[in-house]
Amino acid sequence: MRDQITKRFLNGMDGLGQVAQLAGESIRSILARRWESSLVLYQLYFIGIKSLSVVLITGAFTGMVLAAQTYFQFHKVGMDTATLAVVSISMCSELGPVLSALMVAGRVGAAIAAELGTMKVTEQIDALRTLATHPVDYLVVPRLIATTVALPLLTVSSICVGIAAAYAVGVGLLGIDPAYAWHNMLHYTSVQDVGVGLIKSVIFGMIIALVGCYKGLNCPQGAEGVGKATTEAVVFASIAILISNFFLTLLLTRALTQK
Amino acid sequence: MIETRGIKKRFGSQQVLNGVDLRIEPGEAVAIIGRSGCGKSILLKHLIGLLSPDEGEVFINDRNIAHLTERELLGVRKEFGLLFQSAALFDSLTVHENVAFALRREGKLTAGEIDRRTEEALERVELPGTGSKRPAELSGGMRKRVGLARAIVYRPQIILYDEPTTGLDPVVSDSIDQLIRRLCEQLKATTIVVTHDMRSVRTVAKRVLMLHQGTIYTNSSVTDLFASTDPLIHHFVNGISTPRDILF
């Protein structure tokens, strides 16, 4: 039992080390400008535009339910007009980036792992290498750049739609005074809240791309291997997003609010 | 010139290569034969640097590539063309894009020159005008031909073939063998064919290396191989199984 735990821990550390190596190799490739902009544009379309509807629906309904729940509690103590402020801060710094990242991890992380995994088991990755092309330059870097650029944009869209939906529910459905609610929201939501959310989404984008690419490039043989790599890419990216979110909240909130 | 010195490779508990020594001169046509799972494809992947040996050295034109990094190997691999057993075409690209891939990535030629070279390679493998097709629309034999066009488009000095006729009917197999022989003569490239198809060996190779239990068991001309009275070689060449073979 103890040996098994030790073995799993060491395997986990080994995997983490290999993801870090992949990140290092990708950054070197980006700096050396070994990537093609056309590939990045295609990935931006696939990762950004194609994920937009999923992220917007998530943002809208999260904002709506958060507005309703907050209102029900705040109404008891006569703080109705603080509802939108709570929704706005939550959406900007926590729910917007985290939920958008989780949705993109499910859609894009899985697609990256499945595509690269299939290429691995059908020897297409080896074929790339024999054609004097580094898989990191051709496969990893375009996906990494595209996810890192697209996720903050998706997060901003999600936050805007979430706040708009919360406003509609709060003002239109629950009868909150619009002028006070709007004023309180602007008063209590700071630039730092938005900054924290955007920095988080950049890091989450990197996590999704790197975990998806790592799992795909190290996919075990066979159809079962591709399935396993795809599942693990989503699970590990989601866990990594949730864990890193906690530490990023502590770190960024302190760093950005220090005077 | 290609040379390996004592290369060993182990996967888990299985010692696949156990000290392989070989030397192949420029322009030679060599077949590497052996039972399924004996490590022929693994040996081939060592020659092009897709795998690195646990021990031993691999020399390509007097340069030891055994311990080069992946980036350093990219330059070495420009001297090679490899036809994969499954052809390994990029299924998201058309035939033309597959064949032109290496030239486009290299970025040294104009678009017109790349198109001309690509069409020329497709004509060499007798598939002119198929550039707009997707790999999924091709038969097994056509996929191998496209794979071959992709391997020769940048005129490599060394062409490796990993079981080029596996899974093809006898007529298509023969056409692929004839194509390999013709390309070898036209391009004057070193040709290494991994196969267990004895008809391919007769058509394509001048010299044969037989791999057995991780080492080179025999290194002989094609004529000597087929005339050999060694039981292991005789059984393999003539496809004779013994009760012991059935167990494995």
Side-chain angles (χ1 to χ4, degrees):
Chain A
M1 181 69 181
R2 195 175 164 182
D3 286 348
Q4 276 186 333
I5 292 169
T6 310
K7 195 179 168 191
R8 290 195 75 160
F9 175 76
L10 290 176
N11 283 343
M13 288 295 109
D14 183 47
L16 213 56
Q18 288 189 42
V19 172
Q21 274 187 335
L22 185 64
E25 185 64 44
S26 303
I27 289 166
R28 277 196 292 277
S29 174
I30 291 169
L31 295 176
R33 198 66 176 80
R34 294 196 192 101
W35 45 279
E36 281 180 35
S37 44
S38 61
L39 295 173
V40 175
L41 280 176
Y42 174 75
Q43 291 299 329
L44 267 173
Y45 168 75
F46 175 73
I47 293 165
I49 307 291
K50 293 266 188 176
S51 302
L52 193 59
S53 55
V54 173
V55 168
L56 291 185
I57 291 168
T58 308
F61 282 91
T62 306
M64 285 155 78
V65 80
L66 188 60
Q69 278 293 359
T70 309
Y71 171 80
F72 295 144
Q73 303 310 315
F74 278 18
H75 184 64
K76 294 173 189 169
V77 290
M79 287 175 62
D80 303 9
T81 54
T83 300
L84 274 190
V86 172
V87 171
S88 169
I89 294 168
S90 306
M91 284 299 293
C92 287
S93 61
E94 295 296 336
L95 293 176
V98 171
L99 291 180
S100 300
L102 290 177
M103 296 311 287
V104 171
R107 206 190 85 80
V108 174
I112 290 174
E115 186 181 359
L116 269 57
T118 307
M119 287 184 77
K120 170 90 188 302
V121 299
T122 55
E123 293 186 303
Q124 290 179 55
I125 303 275
D126 280 346
L128 266 185
R129 296 166 70 200
T130 63
L131 295 168
T133 300
H134 201 299
V136 168
D137 302 344
Y138 188 74
L139 297 173
V140 179
V141 167
R143 285 163 177 78
L144 178 61
I145 294 175
T147 317
T148 308
V149 171
L151 193 55
L153 298 175
L154 289 168
T155 302
V156 168
S157 314
S158 170
I159 291 169
C160 291
V161 169
I163 291 172
Y167 184 89
V169 168
V171 174
L173 206 66
L174 303 170
I176 301 172
D177 184 300
Y180 280 113
W182 188 255
H183 174 265
N184 283 343
M185 185 184 81
L186 294 180
H187 182 72
Y188 288 107
T189 310
S190 62
V191 177
Q192 282 84 354
D193 294 322
V194 180
V196 167
L198 288 181
I199 293 171
K200 278 181 180 178
S201 63
V202 167
I203 294 169
F204 295 160
M206 292 170 76
I207 289 173
I208 293 166
L210 286 171
V211 173
C213 290
Y214 169 73
K215 282 291 166 190
L217 292 173
N218 293 281
C219 170
Q221 286 299 311
E224 193 187 356
V226 176
K228 193 177 168 208
T230 308
T231 309
E232 286 184 354
V234 177
V235 171
F236 290 165
S238 302
I239 290 172
I241 286 164
L242 293 172
I243 293 174
S244 61
N245 181 52
F246 169 71
F247 292 104
L248 285 169
T249 298
L250 291 185
L251 195 76
L252 293 172
T253 308
R254 284 192 179 172
L256 294 178
T257 54
Q258 250 175 9
K259 301 214 171 140
Chain B
M1 193 265 297
I2 300 168
E3 188 176 1
T4 69
R5 292 182 196 159
I7 57 173
K8 294 185 179 180
K9 187 72 178 179
R10 173 185 284 275
F11 292 102
S13 60
Q14 193 184 1
Q15 186 75 44
V16 181
L17 300 179
N18 194 17
V20 174
D21 298 292
L22 63 83
R23 187 185 167 92
I24 297 168
E25 298 299 331
E28 256 197 301
V30 176
I32 299 174
I33 61 170
R35 297 276 303 273
S36 295
C38 72
K40 303 185 292 292
S41 297
I42 300 294
L43 175 59
L44 201 72
K45 286 183 176 177
H46 277 84
L47 301 183
I48 195 169
L50 289 177
L51 291 172
S52 55
D54 298 333
E55 286 177 48
E57 292 158 335
V58 180
F59 290 92
I60 305 298
N61 297 332
D62 297 323
R63 184 181 182 192
N64 187 359
I65 66 159
H67 304 292
L68 295 183
T69 64
E70 184 66 22
R71 288 228 177 263
E72 289 169 330
L73 280 166
L74 295 181
V76 177
R77 291 195 191 119
K78 286 182 179 169
E79 295 172 25
F80 284 89
L82 170 59
L83 174 61
F84 286 85
Q85 189 176 342
S86 60
L89 301 179
F90 304 126
D91 43 26
S92 58
L93 305 180
T94 63
V95 165
H96 185 279
E97 288 166 339
N98 263 282
V99 177
F101 186 88
L103 299 178
R104 285 232 169 99
R105 290 286 302 171
E106 200 176 27
K108 287 182 181 167
L109 300 177
T110 62
E113 180 67 9
I114 290 172
D115 288 344
R116 196 189 62 73
R117 290 267 294 268
T118 303
E119 275 310 310
E120 183 189 299
L122 285 170
E123 276 170 28
R124 275 191 195 275
V125 298
E126 296 157 2
L127 283 177
T130 54
S132 60
K133 287 184 185 290
R134 293 262 166 192
E137 298 173 61
L138 305 176
S139 67
M142 288 169 86
R143 289 171 70 89
K144 296 256 175 163
R145 283 169 189 270
V146 174
L148 191 46
R150 187 177 68 181
I152 61 167
V153 74
Y154 53 96
R155 296 165 188 166
Q157 295 172 18
I158 304 160
I159 308 177
L160 311 177
Y161 300 86
D162 189 4
E163 308 208 10
T165 57
T166 297
L168 302 178
D169 71 57
V171 177
V172 177
S173 296
D174 186 56
S175 74
I176 295 283
D177 289 337
Q178 299 292 348
L179 185 60
I180 293 171
R181 192 172 69 176
R182 210 164 44 246
L183 286 173
C184 179
E185 287 164 4
Q186 287 172 358
L187 303 174
K188 312 225 177 303
T190 308
T191 301
I192 303 172
V193 183
V194 159
T195 185
H196 42 221
D197 182 345
M198 286 301 111
R199 232 171 60 159
S200 288
V201 173
R202 276 188 200 275
T203 311
V204 169
K206 298 275 187 293
R207 187 157 68 94
V208 184
L209 304 171
M210 184 172 176
L211 203 59
H212 181 66
Q213 293 183 341
T215 57
I216 300 292
Y217 184 77
T218 185
N219 176 357
S220 65
S221 69
V222 176
T223 318
D224 290 347
L225 181 89
F226 281 93
S228 174
T229 54
D230 182 295
L232 189 82
I233 299 171
H234 181 73
H235 284 184
F236 182 80
V237 166
N238 295 292
I240 301 166
S241 68
T242 63
R244 189 172 173 275
D245 292 326
I246 295 166
L247 293 173
F248 297 93

